Amino acid sequence: MDEAAAGVPVGSGGVRFLPFLSGQVAPESRPGASAVFTGLRTSHDRNNAYRAVLEGGAFAIRSIFDQIHSWCGDPAVIRLTGSGARSAIWCEILANTIGRPLEASDEAVEGRGAAIFASVALGIYPDYDAAAVALVPVKHRYDSDPALSARYESLYRDWQTVADATRPLDRRPVNFAL
């Protein structure tokens, strides 16, 4: 599916996806938010929908990134771990959506954070940055492309418009009984 999604132009042919399958937690709490596809036409296929899912997820992460950036400033590094780090198209979309380089690690994340904290506490590494550099392998670096980042900036604003437009639907009572 990644290969097929890579063949779909940036913007998924106008398809947008809000990834709020369990509501939205950050950067704001919207427990009643729902996942939404919009812009679907008969000319679209599953490749457009899959790319829209990747782009929608990246836009949701971008909204969280913007909030954290406003609190903490520029990050020294952005690293993606877990199974998503195996997807080149996902990493490229994310790097261009955030507009910064992204380093992809491996998917072995279980316990790694605890190992970083423990290694610093035990004096093996002088600080968390040194421990992370030593213990988190970088498999690939994805640089953002200024032209693609500019395109994704425009698409992100469009995605935010869709997210804002669905707010009235958040207040609907949820009835899971059939």
Side-chain angles (χ1 to χ4, degrees), residues 49-70:
Y50 181 61
R51 184 167 185 118
V53 167
L54 296 175
E55 291 177 343
F59 294 144
I61 290 171
R62 161 74 189 274
S63 67
I64 297 166
F65 174 83
D66 287 349
Q67 183 179 59
I68 293 171
H69 183 261
S70 74

Side-chain angles (χ1 to χ4, degrees), residues 73-160:
D74 285 329
V77 65
I78 299 172
R79 192 166 292 148
L80 180 65
T81 63
S83 59
R86 292 184 297 192
S87 170
I89 186 70
W90 167 243
C91 292
E92 290 167 7
I93 290 170
L94 193 53
N96 286 306
T97 298
I98 294 173
R100 289 175 165 69
L102 181 136
E103 295 178 349
S105 182
D106 57 14
E107 64 266 17
V109 296
E110 298 83 13
R112 189 172 282 152
I116 289 170
F117 281 102
S119 67
V120 173
L122 294 171
I124 297 169
Y125 296 102
D127 56 47
Y128 300 119
D129 289 336
V133 167
L135 298 175
V136 181
V138 174
K139 301 273 186 163
H140 193 81
R141 178 183 165 98
Y142 295 88
D143 290 313
S144 61
D145 175 290
L148 284 176
S149 289
R151 176 78 174 116
Y152 273 116
E153 182 65 29
S154 173
L155 293 168
Y156 175 61
R157 300 294 171 216
D158 186 56
W159 181 89
Q160 287 180 310

